[in-house]
Amino acid sequence: MQIKHQRCERWSPEKKKLSGRVKRKAGADPSSVDLEKVANIIVDQSLKDCVFSKEAGRICYTIIQQEYKDREELRARSPQAWICYVTFICNIFDYLRVNNMPMMALVNPVYECLFRLAQPDSLKKEEEVDCLVLQLHRIGEQLEKMNSQPMDELFSLLRDGFLLEDGLSSLSQLLLLEIIEFRAADWKMTDAAQKYYYSEVTD
């Protein structure tokens, strides 16, 4: 029985030029790139061309790395884009697995994003508190298993914020208390807590 290996088509000069332009533009100014359009092109072309798929990884890495490096500027420029970026990187941590384990290389970047959301100025913004709590519900337990010390420090910040910080909205206080109790219950939501917190949020 012969195994036939599909040959990967060679990269054309046009593809190389396109890749170079996208990488340079993304590196210089990520906000100028239509990421949805770029993502669609990258996925479509990667499925057709295994040579391109290697370069596609570099393109995505350039864009993601640049946004991470400039995350404070991103937050100042567009709070919504910042929240979307945190959600994006946390979802990568959640879904991207190596030997059925999250990638260790993503642990520190994810923690740094969550720590930023736990700062006093962020805790005064309901959208950022909501994002923080949502990500901790989704990946908090996995993240703590990978490295527990930063999680202890993060929740110390959250407790201080809940108890000491002025200017927090009622919803933000409720969300912070809920996630503190959620972790204290070994990352589980009891029926009573579910009824109390989420009936309160609904009301």
Side-chain angles (χ1 to χ4, degrees):
M1 179 179 177
Q2 290 185 334
I3 300 176
K4 295 183 179 179
H5 296 279
Q6 183 179 1
R7 289 188 63 191
C8 297
E9 59 180 287
R10 286 186 172 277
W11 244 22
S12 67
E14 291 76 16
K15 289 179 186 175
K16 290 181 180 179
K17 289 179 182 178
L18 173 63
S19 169
R21 286 199 300 271
V22 171
K23 283 201 295 183
R24 286 193 297 273
K25 193 172 183 182
D29 183 11
S31 63
S32 68
V33 180
D34 184 339
L35 294 183
E36 181 178 0
K37 184 176 180 181
V38 171
N40 289 334
I41 292 172
I42 287 173
V43 171
D44 181 64
Q45 190 60 41
S46 294
L47 294 176
K48 297 176 182 176
D49 182 349
C50 62
V51 177
F52 178 82
S53 64
K54 181 178 179 181
E55 189 66 18
R58 294 176 184 167
I59 294 171
C60 294
Y61 178 75
T62 297
I63 296 172
I64 294 170
Q65 185 184 48
Q66 189 66 39
E67 291 289 6
Y68 176 74
K69 179 181 176 183
D70 298 335
R71 57 192 180 278
E72 281 297 333
E73 289 82 354
L74 175 65
R75 180 178 178 272
R77 183 173 71 244
S78 172
Q80 180 61 30
W82 159 241
I83 288 170
C84 289
Y85 179 77
V86 174
T87 303
F88 175 68
I89 196 170
C90 288
N91 272 288
I92 292 177
F93 175 82
D94 190 21
Y95 291 117
L96 195 59
R97 302 273 168 158
V98 178
N99 296 325
N100 204 33
M101 291 288 292
M103 290 185 66
M104 193 66 196
L106 292 174
V107 171
N108 285 341
V110 169
Y111 265 126
E112 288 190 21
C113 288
L114 298 181
F115 268 92
R116 184 61 187 87
L117 290 173
Q119 298 306 307
D121 59 334
S122 290
L123 293 180
K124 292 176 182 177
K125 299 179 184 297
E126 285 185 355
E127 297 84 358
E128 292 192 79
V129 174
D130 185 61
C131 177
L132 172 62
V133 170
L134 180 63
Q135 305 318 318
L136 286 170
H137 268 285
R138 178 179 293 131
I139 64 170
E141 185 175 11
Q142 300 176 62
L143 202 55
E144 184 169 37
K145 287 178 180 177
M146 302 293 284
N147 190 353
S148 62
Q149 183 178 344
M151 190 64 72
D152 291 337
E153 295 170 1
L154 177 63
F155 271 80
S156 179
L157 279 178
L158 297 183
R159 283 189 293 272
D160 287 348
F162 174 75
L163 294 170
L164 306 174
E165 198 64 44
D166 294 327
L168 270 62
S169 71
S170 297
L171 178 58
S172 292
Q173 289 177 320
L174 190 69
L175 289 170
L176 290 174
L177 182 59
E178 185 270 326
I179 196 62
I180 289 168
E181 292 191 354
F182 182 69
R183 185 198 180 211
D186 198 25
W187 301 101
K188 293 180 177 64
M189 177 70 72
T190 65
D191 291 340
Q194 176 78 29
K195 184 177 180 180
Y196 174 75
Y197 286 110
Y198 289 97
S199 66
E200 289 288 326
V201 170
T202 301
D203 294 343

